[in-house]
């Protein structure tokens, strides 16, 4: 905790600049923070994914201040174990104007990780264009997590197996596509079927 | 003076004002100076309060603007940069919390409804994070979605069953209509053939009728002819009978002739014997004449004459014998011929008997034929009548088969139309 605090301080300073990820400065402690049954983590971003609003639950769970959060990219809380294919799918989906649900493992500033069931939706302006994105995060179904962890580990391993990041991401996305084909349903139905 | 830019600031300022007011009251018996100090403190307090109230108003205006945006449906509005940790800060967080909840509920309700709108039912409003009325509303919407999903599933199942069963029924109807059409065609062809055949039968019956009438007339003529033949045969028999009798008479006559020829032959034999003896006598006379010499010379001449006569007689008898032989021979032939004629006539008589018998039978047969012909005529008349009735019925059947064909075609067309309608209905139903 002492080491984390020191790192956390520098992380806070850098995150405040609005460009760094916690994972560059915080070492995951392996300690999991479990969301409360009725907790609702809320954040809003602009079109580029920079946070414009984070509610008090977000700040409390991520152990961040509003100053550190607003203006920072949403990937600030990305956990190193998360496969990039999931975020690729997430961004493709919401940029197309659709909603997406995803199980996401996040990293808090104190090194703890917290699993969320994220619901990301575009926010539409009066003229119907996308003006930003909104994410509600709820406590995930605990019984689904082992399957999610195993799947994410496979995707992550696939991403690490290739020389270039792009090739790794492609292969990982392909693997996710294969999994869905195997289940015989689109992603949105699949995630709800869990 | 009850509000401040923050409640804690207001509390502090209020305390300060009380302390200053107490100090002012305590210092009053010692002269004018404490009054001036108290007045200065009060002034500072009032100034600080005024500043605090201005800040508070600015924050409240900002909060009001956020609330106003939210009230107008802009759920992106949030209060950021909350530094206050007091009741005002609490109020701001509460407003954000309220907006987060409304925002979450609205997004959930919208997304769930959108999925339902697109005909999918897997999505439910996420119940977590919603409390009280929001949770109850979420439950009701989720129940509604579930009910729709159930109804949709049931509808899909019903549609499937409908499609399967109706599809089968329709193909049966179509097959039946096709069969019906084919049957109508077969029937139409058959009635056409039947009509043709009935026409031909009618024609044949008329021809037959005419022919039967002709035959009947011919048979009548035949009967007459046969009767005529019978008469002729009878008269022929009489003639042959007479011929037989005459041939018998001829034979008797010829036999008499034969007998006469035989008697003539006997007489001729006698004459020849006489001639031979005469010749011998003449020879003897010649010899004797020769012995008598000259005296006998005349005698010799006579003898020679006699000899010549005898020779002539002999020669004549020879000719007579020859002729009688010829007569006998001719008579024999005549007898033979007459016997043959008699035999032939007998044969003819027998044939005539046979003919007469046959003619009698023919006559009987001809009469029978005549009667049969009359019956046949009645029969062909009946055939004609019946065929006319049959032709009428066949015509009706033909018309009926045409109607049936039309009905089958209409049925096929209706079935196809119905099938198209059902397909279109099912296609529509599946997009629901």
């Amino acid at each position: 905790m002492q080491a984390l605090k020191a790192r956390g301080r520098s992380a806070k300073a850098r995150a405040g600049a609005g460009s760094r990820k916690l994972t560059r400065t915080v070492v995951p402690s392996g300690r999991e923070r479990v969301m409360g049954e009725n907790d609702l983590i809320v954040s809003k971003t602009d079109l580029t994914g920079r946070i414009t609003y984070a509610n008090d639950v977000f700040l409390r769970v991520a152990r961040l201040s509003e100053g550190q959060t607003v203006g920072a990219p949403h990937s600030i809380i990305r956990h190193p174990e998360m496969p990039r294919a999931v975020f690729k799918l997430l961004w493709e989906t919401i940029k197309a104007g659709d909603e997406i649900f995803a199980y996401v493992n996040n990293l808090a500033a104190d090194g703890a990780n917290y699993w969320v069931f994220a619901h990301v939706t575009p926010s539409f302006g009066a003229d119907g264009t996308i003006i930003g994105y909104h994410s509600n995060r709820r406590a995930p179904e605990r019984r689904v997590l082992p399957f999610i962890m195993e799947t994410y580990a496979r995707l992550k391993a696939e991403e690490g197996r290739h020389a270039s990041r792009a090739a790794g991401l492609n292969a990982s996305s392909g693997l996710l596509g294969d999994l869905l084909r195997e289940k015989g349903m689109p992603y949105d139905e699949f995630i709800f079927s869990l | 003076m009850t509000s401040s830019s923050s409640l804690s600031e207001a509390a502090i300022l209020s305390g300060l004002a009380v302390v200053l007011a107490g100090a002012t009251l305590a210092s009053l018996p010692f002269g004018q100076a404490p009054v001036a100090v108290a007045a200065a403190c009060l002034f500072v307090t009032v100034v600080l309060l005024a500043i605090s109230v201005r800040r508070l108003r600015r924050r409240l205006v900002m909060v009001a603007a956020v609330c106003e945006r939210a009230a107008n449906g802009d759920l992106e509005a949030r209060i950021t940069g909350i530094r206050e940790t007091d009741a005002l800060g609490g109020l701001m967080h509460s407003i954000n919390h309220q907006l987060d909840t409304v925002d979450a509920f609205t997004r959930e309700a919208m997304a769930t409804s959108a999925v339902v709108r697109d005909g999918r039912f897997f999505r439910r409003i996420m119940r977590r994070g919603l409390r009280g009325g929001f949770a109850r509303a979420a439950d009701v919407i989720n129940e509604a979605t579930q009910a729709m999903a159930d109804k949709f599933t049931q509808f899909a199942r019903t549609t499937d069953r409908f499609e399967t069963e109706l599809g089968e029924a329709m193909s049966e109807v179509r097959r039946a209509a096709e069969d019906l059409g084919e049957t109508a065609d077969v029937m139409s062809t058959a009635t056409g053939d039947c009509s043709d055949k009935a026409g031909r039968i009618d024609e044949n019956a008329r021809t037959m009728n005419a022919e039967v009438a002709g035959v009947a007339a011919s048979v009548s003529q035949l009967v007459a002819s046969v009767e005529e033949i019978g008469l002729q045969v009878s008269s022929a028999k009489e003639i042959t009978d007479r011929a037989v009798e005459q041939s018998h008479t001829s034979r008797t006559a010829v036999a008499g002739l034969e007998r006469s020829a035989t008697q003539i032959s006997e007489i001729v034999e006698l004459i020849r014997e006489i001639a031979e003896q005469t010749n011998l006598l003449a020879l003897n006379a010649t010899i004797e004449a020769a012995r008598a010499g000259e005296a006998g010379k005349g005698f010799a001449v006579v003898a020679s004459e006699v000899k010549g006569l005898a020779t002539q007689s002999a020669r004549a008898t020879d000719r007579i014998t020859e002729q009688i032989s010829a007569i006998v021979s001719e008579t024999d032939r005549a007898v033979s011929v007459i016997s043959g004629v008699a035999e032939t006539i007998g044969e003819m008589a027998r044939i005539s008997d046979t003919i007469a018998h046959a003619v009698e039978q023919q006559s009987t047969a001809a009469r029978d034929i005549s009667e049969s012909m009359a019956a046949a005529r009645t029969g062909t008349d009946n055939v004609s009548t019946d065929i006319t009735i049959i032709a009428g019925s066949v015509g009706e059947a033909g018309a009926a088969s045409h109607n049936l064909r039309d009905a089958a075609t209409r049925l096929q067309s209706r079935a196809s139309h119905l099938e198209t309608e059902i397909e279109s209905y099912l296609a529509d139903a599946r997009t629901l």
Side-chain angles (χ1 to χ4, degrees), chain A residues 37-40 42 44 52-56 66 70 99 101 117 119 121-124 131 133-134 136 138-142 186 188-189 192, chain B residues 74-82 93 96-97 100-101 103-105 107-108 110-112 115 120 122-131:
Chain A
E37 188 64 21
N38 276 311
D39 278 353
L40 189 66
V42 180
K44 289 179 180 288
T52 55
Y53 168 73
N55 74 343
D56 51 357
E66 191 181 31
V70 173
E99 64 167 349
F101 280 94
F117 188 47
H119 177 222
T121 45
S123 295
F124 296 98
I131 55 169
Y133 302 102
H134 176 105
N136 286 320
R138 299 170 173 88
E141 281 289 345
R142 300 301 302 181
D188 55 358
E189 264 186 73
F192 250 87
Chain B
D74 178 4
L75 298 180
E76 295 306 299
R78 293 291 188 282
I79 301 165
T80 51
I82 303 170
H93 282 297
N96 275 350
H97 190 195
D100 287 345
T101 306
D103 200 359
F105 179 80
R107 283 174 196 272
E108 283 297 308
M110 199 157 70
T112 304
V115 170
R120 299 166 76 201
F122 65 90
R123 178 81 158 87
R124 295 287 181 279
I125 291 182
M126 300 302 292
R127 185 83 160 48
R128 280 189 178 133
L130 299 176
R131 292 187 178 88

Side-chain angles (χ1 to χ4, degrees), chain B residues 254-266:
Chain B
V254 170
L257 190 65
E258 207 173 7
R259 272 196 310 277
S260 301
T262 308
Q263 280 166 2
I264 291 165
S265 289
E266 282 167 5

Side-chain angles (χ1 to χ4, degrees), chain A residues 105-177:
Chain A
N105 191 13
N106 287 324
L107 182 65
D110 63 354
N113 69 297
Y114 57 100
W115 278 96
V116 298
F117 188 47
H119 177 222
V120 190
T121 45
S123 295
F124 296 98
D127 59 353
T129 56
I130 298 173
I131 55 169
Y133 302 102
H134 176 105
S135 176
N136 286 320
R137 270 140 295 170
R138 299 170 173 88
E141 281 289 345
R142 300 301 302 181
R143 58 175 178 77
V144 180
L145 287 184
F147 167 77
I148 293 291
M149 285 176 192
E150 189 210 323
T151 306
Y152 284 4
R154 273 173 64 199
L155 295 175
K156 187 70 190 169
E158 187 63 37
E159 283 170 17
R161 199 169 292 142
H162 296 265
S164 77
R165 280 171 61 82
L169 183 56
N170 253 341
S172 171
S173 292
L175 200 60
L176 183 59

Side-chain angles (χ1 to χ4, degrees), chain A residues 1 4 22 26-37 39 41 56-64 77 79 104-117 138-140 142 145 149:
Chain A
M1 280 302 285
L4 281 176
L22 289 176
V26 176
V27 174
S29 65
R31 205 162 45 78
E32 187 188 353
R33 181 163 298 131
V34 177
M35 280 185 74
E37 188 64 21
D39 278 353
I41 295 177
D56 51 357
V57 186
F58 182 107
L59 302 177
R60 173 164 52 82
V61 176
R63 298 290 193 268
L64 289 167
I77 50 165
H79 194 281
V104 179
N105 191 13
N106 287 324
L107 182 65
D110 63 354
N113 69 297
Y114 57 100
W115 278 96
V116 298
F117 188 47
R138 299 170 173 88
R142 300 301 302 181
L145 287 184
M149 285 176 192

